[in-house]
Amino acid sequence: MPCCSLVPIHKDQTVNVIQTHLTLPEGWTKGAVMALISEVAPHIGLRPARLAVLNYIIGRTRASDWTSPHREPVFFGTQDLAAVELGKTSRQLRTDEAALAKLGLIVKRVAANGARYGRAGLGLILTPLIARLEEFIALRDRLRAERRHLRALKDLRSLRLRHMKRCIAALPSSAIKDPEIVKILASFDKWPRSDALSRLGLERLNAHLKVSSDLCNSLEDWLENHGLSSDQPVENFRPFTQNTREETQTVETPPAVDNSERHAEIAQSEPPSSISCPAPPALTPENLYRIAGDGLRMMLDASRDQNRPLKERDIIEAAWALLPMLDIHASVWHEGQSTLGDHGLAFCLLLVDAQRDHPSYPVRNPGGLMRELIRRAKAGRLDFDASVAALQKRRNGVR
């Protein structure tokens, strides 16, 4: 409620003077303000030393003053004591306070001699922080979105780096004499190191990703033109059609996540049918597109080069891009990398996405199902062939 005081006008009259102050939005505290300012500090010209001073000032205000319309958050502490506690001279602290005021983060309201009095409301006023809260929240959200975008671009480059290495491993020894391969390998050697990608900036990183995609296409085309494939199993690589079932191995069933184990069973088998289902054809990218769910198809339609046939790399990159849309953390993909590789993980993601429109048992926890499939793969109990057959039955309307 606003703070009201009665001010006499003359003998028989008074008038209400309403005094209100800005307050933090509901749910916000001064601790949350400190965390927010700390996150955006480098982007508002606030150096670490002065951030420490601002946090010291905020920390010594009353928490209730940030949420009460009757009072302002004010630091009344003496400059000499604050300087001692901050390990500064009084002159250094005065300079810091002046800089904070210039940045629009505080207002210095002190007596002529610099004194500060709580009863007189004299001190370092922190109301400007409340006034700029929405600005700083918007800045924080933009910075977080940029970091997520940068992380996604770096992860995409990692997918292409692994793809290039797989393709290079599939090259015959005689290929090193081919001028086109020599040119491709020379371009690949110029790719920036993974730990240098953050320093490129978004514009240069996007340009590099365009170059990396073109180079992947060139190497894929060379392999296809010479009757070769990048799908030859190499270290830590499993093609889409790999069957990970180990018939001779006895493994305890891993614990289920929610109902994920039940969904994993459904993903690999359907109720018996009186109609015979032919053996699944080779899992070409086009076949995978036909049996995929709406989510993966949408990602493929949005990202694929319509002037080129669908490639397995397109499936992998679309599956990776689909992770956040299914609320699956990227760490799940990294967790399964050593067991399934990018191809196997992309196929697992395809199964998870396709399971969302199951007529009887639609999956409600895509992340849990993805983890369950990875656990089964690690235990040697994930049968891709059975999963393909079950999914094809459903896509063909077989019950």
Side-chain angles (χ1 to χ4, degrees), residues 255-281:
V257 178
D258 297 332
N259 60 347
S260 303
E261 185 165 354
R262 171 60 178 156
H263 283 297
E265 295 284 1
I266 297 169
Q268 293 186 215
S269 63
E270 294 283 349
S273 169
S274 59
I275 303 176
S276 61
C277 181

Side-chain angles (χ1 to χ4, degrees), residues 87-332:
K88 294 174 175 284
T89 65
S90 295
R91 182 176 180 179
Q92 288 174 326
L93 185 55
R94 282 195 298 273
T95 301
D96 289 335
E97 290 177 355
L100 293 175
K102 187 176 181 180
L103 288 171
L105 302 175
I106 65 170
V107 171
K108 293 187 69 172
R109 187 192 299 157
V110 296
N113 62 355
R116 305 163 187 184
Y117 304 105
R119 290 184 179 180
L122 300 178
L124 303 181
I125 315 301
L126 289 151
T127 304
L129 275 181
I130 300 178
R132 298 182 65 185
L133 190 68
E134 289 187 4
E135 171 194 344
F136 294 144
I137 292 173
L139 175 59
R140 179 202 63 187
D141 293 344
R142 178 173 64 81
L143 293 171
R144 288 181 176 179
E146 288 177 356
R147 285 195 293 269
R148 287 194 299 270
H149 183 53
L150 178 61
R151 178 72 261 173
L153 295 181
K154 290 168 64 178
D155 287 337
L156 178 57
R157 210 302 288 265
S158 296
L159 288 175
R160 291 178 181 169
L161 179 65
R162 291 195 294 270
H163 180 76
M164 282 295 294
K165 289 180 177 180
R166 288 194 294 268
C167 289
I168 291 171
L171 290 171
S173 57
S174 59
I176 60 174
K177 298 178 182 179
D178 187 295
E180 186 178 354
I181 291 298
V182 171
K183 183 179 179 181
I184 290 173
L185 295 180
S187 298
F188 180 61
D189 287 339
K190 294 178 182 177
W191 281 17
R193 289 167 51 94
S194 297
D195 56 6
L197 295 178
S198 297
R199 298 192 293 272
L200 292 180
L202 287 177
E203 184 176 351
R204 291 174 62 195
L205 181 53
N206 276 306
H208 168 62
L209 285 172
K210 175 64 171 63
V211 170
S212 69
S213 180
D214 292 342
L215 198 64
C216 286
N217 289 338
S218 297
L219 188 49
E220 289 171 353
D221 290 344
W222 190 95
L223 288 169
E224 288 184 5
N225 291 337
H226 289 76
L228 300 171
S229 171
S230 63
D231 304 331
Q232 299 302 318
V234 294
E235 185 177 2
N236 293 332
F237 170 71
R238 294 172 183 265
F240 280 124
T241 55
Q242 175 107 11
N243 185 334
T244 62
R245 184 186 296 276
E246 299 289 346
E247 298 295 347
T248 60
Q249 185 178 12
T250 302
V251 183
E252 292 185 6
T253 302
V257 178
D258 297 332
N259 60 347
S260 303
E261 185 165 354
R262 171 60 178 156
H263 283 297
E265 295 284 1
I266 297 169
Q268 293 186 215
S269 63
E270 294 283 349
S273 169
S274 59
I275 303 176
S276 61
C277 181
L283 285 184
T284 65
E286 293 296 341
N287 286 333
L288 287 172
Y289 180 87
R290 280 192 286 271
I291 66 174
D294 291 339
L296 190 58
R297 287 190 186 188
M298 180 187 67
M299 298 304 297
L300 285 167
D301 292 339
S303 61
R304 66 182 292 190
D305 184 349
Q306 299 297 332
N307 296 322
R308 293 175 56 85
L310 195 63
K311 303 284 187 179
E312 290 184 349
R313 179 168 62 88
D314 297 323
I315 303 288
I316 292 172
E317 292 184 6
W320 170 262
L322 189 60
L323 285 176
M325 296 183 63
L326 300 185
D327 200 24
I328 301 176
H329 197 272
S331 61
V332 178

Side-chain angles (χ1 to χ4, degrees), residues 262-275 277 351 354-355 357-362 385-399:
R262 171 60 178 156
H263 283 297
E265 295 284 1
I266 297 169
Q268 293 186 215
S269 63
E270 294 283 349
S273 169
S274 59
I275 303 176
C277 181
L351 292 177
Q355 196 69 8
D357 64 6
H358 192 283
S360 303
Y361 303 97
D385 288 341
S387 301
V388 173
L391 189 52
Q392 284 182 323
K393 279 185 183 180
R394 183 150 56 88
R395 292 291 181 244
N396 294 333
V398 177
R399 294 291 185 265

